[in-house]
Amino acid sequence: MASRVLPRPTSAPASRASRPYRLAVAAILAATVMLTSGCVATASGSTAEPQCVASATPFTELAIDASPRTIEGPSTACLADAALPTIDSDEAPQLPATVTDDEGTKVTVTDVSRILPIDVSGSLAATVFGLGLGDHVVGRDSSTGFAEASALPVVTQGGHNLTAEAILALDPTVVITDTTLGPLDVLDQLRDSGIPVVITTSERSLDTIDDLIGQVASALGVPERGELLTAQVDADLARVTAEIDATIPADPAVRPRIAFLYVRGSANVYYLFGAESGADSLIESIGGVDIASEIGWEGMRPVTAEALVAAQPDVVLLMSGGLESAGGIDGLLERVPALASTPAGVHRRFVDMADSEILSFGPRAPQVVEALARAVWAPEQSGYLDD
């Protein structure tokens, strides 16, 4: 077998300058530890589908509320099908596979029998499983919440902290990651031990899913699988968004003004996600107006009373675990008083979705978009049956 020891770059890649920012983002998202997933693993290892309200009713046949900006009360987005989409292909990995990763480093992968895909959102693991290589995955990050990976050992601590010992104990033949996890020295230790480490894009949005799939597929030597998965996700996303656009009111003035609020009450963390955060692409895909982008809010920044008053959201999107950590709606309104003076606060219009799903930009993105659209536009026909 060819050696897996890789040449070290002689200088730091240019993209390392942005690493402190990316790690700060990872710290914000680190509370995705021990997240709830969209399905439940049984003792036997099988999965139970979530029981969603009106899950058998196509979006085009839902009772869409013509005045979504004045809907009263909260709602929950539920994935009607919790199974991770996977393509069917007989393509065997074409190895060795040599790629230039997102940091400009040339990496050669000679063995994909033990894959470790890890990032702060769980998107990489979902992509590897979507490519049909889930049987080769040996571990996961704490944000990977889909049931197919639930039995795998977790190699991250505190949400985004890597430990070389935990990773090396799994004897991975390749590590697929990005710059949202740290410390960075751990990745250097893995390289020094001879493990190929492929750094993918850290950008997460509906617009970067194709790039992510392509990078992962190339690194694992399965370009055909990558093309098939990309085509499947693109087709499903196009269908879902077309159905949403054809069903909701055409008048832009009717569209709800939406904000994505990242909340961790136990840590007193409240961030408003703006342009280029990924949340903006979700909001736009469901026919909403991203108010953070509208007021010039970029990236992920601590929310201020002034920003909320200026934005005046009709709807606030949150992670379910985040809302719970703040003590529910009443607790959130008490902790962030400015919310009470917004239309969302007045109407108690908060839409939550499982932490491991709402920002998991990967193969399940089309299902996430549809679930959120149902919760926003037809709240009485969304959520879990046992709510």
Side-chain angles (χ1 to χ4, degrees), residues 65 67-72 314 347 349:
D65 196 303
S67 303
R69 300 185 65 179
T70 57
I71 293 174
E72 296 286 340
D314 301 309
H347 298 295
R349 194 71 184 99

Side-chain angles (χ1 to χ4, degrees), residues 42 89 171 190 225 276 279 341 379:
T42 65
S89 172
D171 192 27
L190 300 179
R225 290 176 183 246
E276 300 183 6
S341 63

Side-chain angles (χ1 to χ4, degrees), residues 132-148:
L133 298 176
D135 290 345
H136 299 287
V137 176
V138 295
R140 64 184 175 97
D141 51 70
S142 54
S143 298
T144 295
F146 53 89
E148 291 89 337

